[in-house]
Amino acid sequence: MKVIAPGAALGVLGGGQLGRMFALAARRMGYRVHVLSPDADGPCAQVADVAVVAPYDDLDAVADFARDVAAVTFEFENVSRAAAETAARFAPVRPGGDVLHVTQHRLREKGALTAHGLPVTPYRAVRTPAELETAVAALGTPAVLKTAAWGYDGHGQALIRAPGDAADAWARLRTDEAVLEAFVDFERELSLVCARGADGTFVHFGLLANDHRDHILDVTVSPADVPARVEADAVEIARAVTAALDVVGVLCVELFLRRDGTLLINELAPRPHNSGHLTIDAFAPCQFELQVRALCGLPLVAPVRLRPAAMVNLLGDLWTDGEPDWAAALALPETRLHLYGKAEARPRRKMGHLTALGDTPAEARARALEARDRLLRGAPVI
Ligand code: AMP
């Protein structure tokens, strides 16, 4: 693959924080960044060289956009396959539209993973209330019903505690295609962020330990405190996933670690991931630089962990009682603030994150949590 050298323009479909951090990494390396998104003042548009404002299904706009850049990637995985294919007529799109098509639909994703012998949560496809009843009988309760498409951060999910809840869950989801998953009594939630080059080179950041609150990622710690064998298994799973889907770019495998030490794939994200944000401060290179490198055919070197690290998400809820106390949080050592430039702080909306480093993962975690706490309570009075 021919190297796309710095100075060229790179296109990103999707204008949120993932696009913003991609753009910052690309611009640091001397690329120009064009973004296409429906939002003129979105997180990525604010830092891009060129912002095209158009809906993702405006294929003429997508074609014009792709004509002006050397390569296209995406940060919003619900960009349609038609948009990815349109862009691909004018510039290489990495990862390709097929990867998007598979990963934006839970049934297609689980089907592809199962076909390659990869471990997924036990599941059934559900298209009618009758199918749901059969699926609940087969998988037992509790179980989780999820829309097949357009789900994120717990949106489009309903917990079925007992068979009697099924009809209500189906009605609440308002979908005609869903997946029922057995509820996994996991010990830990983990993720493996990795990258694969066009030549098949595979690199990764090691296992990240994730805590969720209310279905949204809350805290990530690196390295995850798990046995070496679990990490080796996760790496092999991720390597197999990227090869099976022929991914060129960054991919995150979200995993459940079961109490017996085995891993199940929860879901895939064919792009940098929230759990990988700490790599900006704690690894060289970070997940966004690897995204740039994979897109441009530059070498994918194995990322080196510089320090143990922890990341805490900053949701809009933090603004409920006014502006957070930034100075109090940033008075802590080895603590860095990343805000995404979103104008309106709505509850549950990801506004930014804090990353803290430390001598140990536990120290980094405690520091990150204290930093977030200080946003609300200020610095302790001594
Ligand atoms: P998802 O959008 O599928 O990543 O789900 C969001 C979160 O819900 C996950 O990170 C888990 O904490 C929880 N969750 C989702 N599916 C399951 C499951 N089958 N069993 C247990 N917890 C789940």
Side-chain angles (χ1 to χ4, degrees), residues 88-147:
R89 299 214 311 270
F90 305 99
V93 177
R94 302 184 183 115
D98 292 350
V99 178
L100 262 183
H101 184 65
V102 169
T103 55
Q104 66 194 194
H105 189 274
R106 293 186 191 274
L107 286 170
R108 283 199 290 269
E109 180 175 295
K110 288 180 194 295
L113 293 170
T114 307
H116 284 92
L118 290 159
V120 300
T121 306
Y123 74 99
R124 294 284 188 282
V126 174
R127 294 184 183 85
T128 61
E131 280 184 3
L132 178 56
E133 210 173 297
T134 313
V136 169
L139 296 177
T141 50
V144 190
L145 186 66
K146 304 181 180 181
T147 52

Side-chain angles (χ1 to χ4, degrees), residues 106 146 157 181-184 189 212 215 254 266-267:
R106 293 186 191 274
K146 304 181 180 181
Q157 295 196 15
E181 290 180 14
F183 188 84
V184 180
E189 286 195 79
H212 290 77
H215 292 282
E254 292 181 28
N266 172 28
E267 64 178 357

Side-chain angles (χ1 to χ4, degrees), residues 155-175:
H155 291 272
Q157 295 196 15
L159 181 66
I160 298 179
R161 288 175 212 278
D165 296 345
D168 186 45
W170 179 255
R172 257 192 299 142
L173 236 49
R174 280 187 269 134
T175 183

Side-chain angles (χ1 to χ4, degrees), residues 158-224:
L159 181 66
I160 298 179
R161 288 175 212 278
D165 296 345
D168 186 45
W170 179 255
R172 257 192 299 142
L173 236 49
R174 280 187 269 134
T175 183
D176 52 9
E177 198 175 30
V179 49
L180 185 75
E181 290 180 14
F183 188 84
V184 180
D185 176 29
F186 53 77
E187 187 181 311
R188 300 284 290 279
E189 286 195 79
L190 302 167
S191 56
L192 199 102
V193 177
C194 59
R196 183 169 176 271
D199 62 356
T201 308
F202 171 86
V203 297
H204 64 86
F205 292 95
L207 271 177
L208 305 162
N210 301 320
D211 293 337
H212 290 77
R213 193 195 286 176
D214 201 11
H215 292 282
I216 301 177
L217 182 63
D218 187 38
V219 184
T220 297
V221 176
S222 166

Side-chain angles (χ1 to χ4, degrees), residues 32-44:
R32 297 176 61 79
V33 177
H34 296 209
V35 56
L36 181 142
S37 87
D39 183 2
D41 186 40
C44 184

